[in-house]
Amino acid sequence: MIQELIDEDRIETELAGNLLELGEFFILPAYQRFIAGAYACGFVCNDLAPSAFDIHQPRVAQTLSSVGFADIRAFTHVLLRAERWADGMTSPVRDALASGALAVVGRRIADDCDLYAPF
């Protein structure tokens, strides 16, 4: 879902010739799937404190490239909670796309076998 959001945002931005307005970003089907999917897959839950991960830390994408699954989950949890609290005035998800942090999370979940417990 993350890769779909990255791709759809890039394509729509290229078609528009500039960065999408927030309203246009929020109605992207891939955005809506990402939000719903993150909740459905348990990345957003009630067992993490709001300060579990600082999504605004310097070089957040670099930090995410080497943390474990718990921190990736915490980042996603805080990101989606921040998106909800932003209430359409801004988009932490779009900021995470722009910084590359969301792409790192997507790659790690898709390709990093160290994130998963052995069978």
Side-chain angles (χ1 to χ4, degrees):
M1 289 177 285
I2 291 172
Q3 191 59 53
E4 287 178 7
L5 178 57
I6 292 167
D7 294 343
E8 190 169 313
D9 179 60
R10 180 183 44 78
I11 290 166
E12 293 299 323
T13 298
E14 288 173 2
L15 288 173
N18 56 9
L19 190 63
L20 295 175
E21 296 290 329
L22 279 178
E24 296 169 319
F25 179 73
F26 293 142
I27 62 170
L28 291 175
Y31 170 82
Q32 295 171 5
R33 282 192 302 274
F34 168 71
I35 298 294
Y39 278 88
C41 291
F43 282 89
V44 183
C45 50
N46 61 9
D47 66 340
L48 292 174
S51 61
F53 195 99
D54 180 4
I55 63 173
H56 302 293
Q57 66 178 281
R59 301 189 318 255
V60 67
Q62 183 179 2
T63 300
L64 288 166
S65 68
S66 62
V67 297
F69 183 77
D71 286 324
I72 287 175
R73 181 175 174 244
F75 168 80
T76 308
H77 168 87
V78 173
L79 178 68
L80 273 284
R81 293 289 182 166
E83 186 80 0
R84 188 174 200 177
W85 278 97
D87 200 25
M89 301 306 289
T90 186
S91 176
V93 168
R94 188 164 74 170
D95 295 343
L97 279 173
S99 74
L102 207 51
V104 170
V105 169
R107 280 193 305 274
R108 296 276 323 276
I109 290 171
D111 300 331
D112 192 340
C113 294
D114 291 337
L115 293 181
Y116 301 99
F119 286 92

